[in-house]
Every structure is written in C-alpha cells, then in structure tokens.
Amino acid sequence: MAEAAIDTPALLLDLNAFERNLVTMAQFADRAGVQLRPHAKTHKCAAIAEIQIEHGAVGVCVQKTEEACALAAAGIDDIFVSNQIVGAAKCKRLAELAKRVRRLAVAVDDLRGIDDLGAAVQAADSRLDVFVEIDVGQHRCGVAPGRVAVELAQAIGARPGLRFAGLQAYQGSAQHIRDPRERAGAIGAAIDLVHLTREALRDAGLPCPRVTGAGTGSFVFEAASGTFDELQVGSYVFMDADYSRNGNLPNALQFEQSLFVLTTVISRAEAHVVVDAGLKAHSTDSGLPLVVASGWRYAQASDEHGKLLADAALGAPVSLDRGAQIRLIPGHCDPTVNLHDWIVGVRNDVVESVWPIDARGALG
Ligand SMILES: *Cc1c(COP(=O)(O)O)cnc(C)c1O
C-alpha cells in the first residue's frame, strides 16, 4: 500500500530515518562505553522497544506502572520504572509483575516508598531493584544529593526483597536549553551532584552498582562524565519540532525527524487551508507542528482542525488543494504518540509495518 492511500490523520514513522537514528545512538553508546536503556515513554510500543534491544539496548525505561505491564505483556523483560510509584495498588502490581519479567526496577525518593515496596514484594514473594532518585537540578522528583540519598540506599538494602541498584539522576529541565554551552553547564552541575553522592555512598561503605540518566538533549555530556553507566534517551528515535530548535555544538551527532502526522486538506479558502489534524492528532504543549510543504505555517489548532497559512518567509507556497496529503512534524513527540492507536511504518512511500502503541493511555 502506498503512503498516499493511508487514511488520515495517521501517525507515520519514516523507517529509514528511524533506523539511522537507532544506529547512530547505538554506535555512540558503544564508543563511549555506556549502556543504553531508552525511554519507552516516548513510543509506548513493544515493537520499537524490541528493535532498540536488537540494537544493543539493555532494556527500557518507562514512567508508569501500567506502561511496564503493557510492555511486559508484549514480551519486554527488562524494565526500569524511572519514576515514583505511590499507593498500595500500584506497588502490588509492580511486585507481581516482578515475577513475570527477567528484571524489574523502580525509583524511590522517600523512606515511605521503600516501606511500601518492601511490604508489596514480601506479600508477593518477589524481588525488585530500587534506584534512589536524586534531584540534580530539575526540581521535580528526587531527594537531595549526598547524605539523604545514602540513608535511602541503606534503607533499601535493609529490606528483604529489595536491592539497592544505584542512582537515578535525570536533569529534565536542561534538555531543551537552546544554547549547547549553557546546556553543558547545567549538566555539568548535575554531574557534580552525582559525584558528590557517589562519594557519600563510598564513605558509607555502600557500592553504587549503576548511575542512570540523560536525555536526547544532553546524553553526550553524561556519557563523557565517567560517572554515568546508562543513558535513558527517549526522543532521539523520533525527534520533534521542539528538539529541532535546540542549538548543537559543532560536529554534534545528528538525529533525523522520523515521526510525522499525516494529514489531509479538508477545506480551502482564499488565504488559508484546513487540515484534518488538530489537537486530538498531535500535542501542542511544546508549540505547533511544522509543515512539510514549502511556504505553509500551521497557525492554529482546534479539536479536529488545523489552520494553515501561506507564509512567504517559508518559501513560495506549494499549491495545496482539497484532498492533498501532507506531513506534519509534531511539536512534542511523546504526548503525540499517546494520541494514536497505531504507528504506520513507511519506507520510500510504501507502508511496511503497522505497530500497535501497546501502552497508549497507560496513565496508572
Ligand atoms: C523523558 C525522560 C527521559 C528521556 O528524555 P528525552 O528528552 O525524550 O530523550 C529520560 N529519563 C526520564 C526520567 C524522563 O522523564
């Protein structure tokens, strides 16, 4: 089937670009001597997780208990929930899931979290790897680096069924700092906080098996630090309009846009056209999508409509008649994927694969 025959709006994956992104990241990690555990919150798709593992990833990260369950049900067997899991029901699900996969890990930033997970694994007669999440500058989840993190690590070690697996240290707010030197500075500060925590663990006589973190905007810096063992990059497989606005150092690795929303022109007026991909087909939290058609700007989104204006700054506008199909580059890849049931893989304008977004809507 030709790309032109796909019913729209549809989530499209350019397989050539996607595969080049996978190879670029795998070769980078190999040369840098760090492991890859890509973040599956980006794609929520077991088929893509499997391909990442075929390309050398040691497993995947997820953000939610239900994401872990959905990917495990589809055969992914090494999963790290890189987030805080709160509540007896979720702890029970995780503790039970731990018996069905080769390896399951989770992050904590509170002694009560360790108690809850400890009780759940005891009841389920299972085991969990637990990372202490430290706040390295994002000021989202995470305990203070240093002494408090050591106390949590000791508490994990004291609980039957829990193993202290290392440090979770993700600096999310640095990923989209546009200036690469400024971004490097923010990650440098994060790396210092990891160092300090590793030293505090060592002084307390506790080995730190692994430090994990990094995103698509910053992984080069974490990888060069000598302190991070594992990169949890997510967006690099797809990229998006927000990441396209990041500045890069000379000779930086390039990742290609592989994710698109395919849309159809449903109406045409004197000065604008309307497409069938609005807020329910792509996410606008990080800005409006870019249009892959010369001379057009996506100007306004409503539920099921997108209004495109001709914009001379973007070149001479190509003619877009009713029925024309065009590709959009989503503002933010992760929440866009979560709006779709399927991702349609195309190569040279021909459909090659249709993969379910297994963990779509897995919020719990
Ligand atoms: C989103 C996220 C990532 C991946 O970030 P990208 O910018 O998509 O590469 C990694 N780790 C955690 C904890 C995240 O929340």
Side-chain angles (χ1 to χ4, degrees):
M1 176 172 161
E3 176 175 330
I6 299 172
D7 200 17
T8 68
L11 191 66
L12 221 64
L13 184 62
D14 180 321
L15 292 168
N16 287 331
F18 164 72
E19 286 166 9
R20 283 191 290 266
N21 289 344
L22 291 170
V23 169
T24 300
M25 188 59 87
Q27 287 178 343
F28 170 82
D30 212 34
R31 276 199 294 269
V34 291
Q35 293 191 312
L36 268 185
R37 177 178 293 278
H39 216 300
K41 78 173 197 222
T42 306
H43 53 70
K44 292 172 167 273
C45 171
I48 293 180
E50 266 167 37
I51 294 169
Q52 288 175 314
I53 290 166
E54 280 163 20
H55 280 76
V58 293
V60 293
C61 296
V62 297
Q63 217 68 315
K64 295 302 191 104
T65 305
E66 281 185 14
E67 281 180 331
C69 292
L71 293 185
I76 305 302
D77 70 353
D78 188 334
I79 300 174
F80 169 36
V81 185
S82 62
N83 199 1
Q84 301 303 313
I85 298 305
V86 174
K90 291 188 177 76
C91 290
K92 180 165 187 262
R93 289 192 80 186
L94 272 189
E96 281 167 3
L97 180 64
K99 294 197 279 196
R100 303 198 297 272
V101 293
R102 195 160 51 81
R103 180 160 179 264
L104 185 64
V106 61
V108 295
D109 70 355
D110 192 298
L111 282 169
R112 291 167 294 181
I114 297 166
D115 283 344
D116 293 348
L117 290 168
V121 293
Q122 210 160 348
D125 192 22
S126 67
R127 303 176 43 80
L128 273 173
D129 274 3
V130 182
F131 285 82
V132 172
E133 179 168 6
I134 56 174
D135 177 6
V136 289
Q138 180 171 20
H139 310 318
R140 188 170 69 180
C141 299
V143 286
R147 184 184 51 80
V148 192
V150 174
E151 285 167 15
L152 290 188
Q154 284 165 332
I156 294 165
R159 283 304 292 226
L162 302 184
R163 184 183 81 101
F164 172 56
L167 299 175
Q168 159 71 3
Y170 174 65
Q171 214 309 15
S173 58
Q175 300 306 318
H176 291 92
I177 296 176
R178 300 306 182 202
D179 178 68
R181 283 172 191 84
E182 217 180 292
R183 199 156 71 242
I187 299 300
I191 290 165
D192 289 346
L193 295 171
V194 172
H195 269 306
L196 177 153
T197 309
R198 280 197 111 145
E199 275 168 25
L201 285 166
R202 203 184 45 224
D203 292 348
L206 279 183
C208 178
R210 175 162 291 246
V211 175
T212 180
T216 299
S218 74
F219 68 93
V220 172
F221 311 124
E222 280 96 342
S225 69
T227 279
F228 280 77
D229 305 291
E230 190 177 272
L231 307 178
Q232 46 190 242
V233 284
S235 303
Y236 77 99
V237 281
F238 294 152
M239 301 305 281
D240 55 29
D242 195 9
Y243 262 121
S244 77
R245 290 188 277 270
N246 263 17
N248 284 305
L249 293 171
N251 306 319
L253 289 180
Q254 294 299 321
F255 294 94
E256 298 173 45
Q257 188 62 42
S258 69
L259 186 79
F260 301 90
V261 170
L262 188 68
T263 186
T264 301
V265 174
I266 57 168
S267 182
R268 192 186 143 157
E270 190 80 19
H272 69 265
V273 301
V274 180
V275 296
D276 67 352
L279 296 173
K280 292 181 182 175
H282 59 84
S283 133
T284 57
D285 61 287
S286 303
L288 292 168
L290 302 172
V291 180
V292 187
S294 175
W296 292 92
R297 178 167 58 83
Y298 194 110
Q300 198 187 337
S302 50
D303 284 43
E304 301 291 6
H305 298 84
K307 186 171 169 182
L308 273 50
L309 296 177
D311 185 340
L314 300 172
V318 295
S319 152
L320 288 181
D321 208 351
R322 182 176 175 280
Q325 284 193 348
I326 49 171
R327 290 179 174 195
L328 303 176
I329 296 174
H332 189 182
C333 55
D334 319 54
T336 295
V337 170
N338 192 49
L339 297 168
H340 293 263
D341 289 320
W342 305 94
I343 185 162
V344 182
V346 295
R347 200 188 301 275
N348 308 327
D349 302 324
V350 175
V351 174
E352 189 173 301
S353 57
V354 181
W355 295 325
I357 313 290
D358 306 84
R360 182 214 174 154
L363 293 176

